[in-house]
Amino acid sequence: MPYSSEVKLTEADLMWLSAQELTYARNEIYARHGFIFKSDELNEYFGSKSWYYPNPEFDGTLYGIEKSNALFIKDYQEKYNLQYKPN
């Protein structure tokens, strides 16, 4: 969801995504800042993206629309029992 850093997401944006896709979409927001994940799966997935550059100095703190969207996706996953735990 490349626009999740600029546009407030709605349920319509998420309704066709699987639990795994939702987890990836939520973590993409962090990955854009170079977040280094504890999950090997997420590190491998985002490491395969040309735009991902690991940044050990990024502490995971989000602001504004990005923070709002990450929380919205998390809440959506909980509301519809669509949690996915990456390896």
Side-chain angles (χ1 to χ4, degrees):
M1 304 197 121
Y3 54 89
S4 64
S5 64
E6 303 166 4
V7 177
K8 187 172 181 169
L9 298 175
T10 67
E11 287 202 11
D13 295 311
L14 308 179
M15 63 189 291
W16 301 108
L17 300 178
S18 69
Q20 182 182 27
E21 291 169 327
L22 288 164
T23 296
Y24 282 24
R26 180 168 41 91
N27 284 291
E28 181 181 309
I29 297 169
Y30 294 92
R32 279 194 220 104
H33 295 280
F35 189 77
I36 300 170
F37 300 92
K38 293 178 182 169
S39 159
D40 290 339
E41 179 181 339
L42 292 177
N43 281 319
E44 288 175 23
Y45 176 77
F46 290 113
S48 73
K49 305 299 178 190
S50 62
W51 50 263
Y52 177 72
Y53 297 96
N55 177 4
E57 296 189 19
F58 178 62
D59 66 0
T61 303
L62 298 173
Y63 300 95
I65 196 82
E66 290 182 313
K67 181 177 182 177
S68 175
N69 282 339
L71 289 172
F72 180 72
I73 296 170
K74 184 176 186 281
D75 290 345
Y76 180 89
Q77 288 182 279
E78 289 174 2
K79 179 178 179 180
Y80 293 104
N81 196 27
L82 291 168
Q83 292 89 359
Y84 173 78
K85 177 83 170 142
N87 298 320

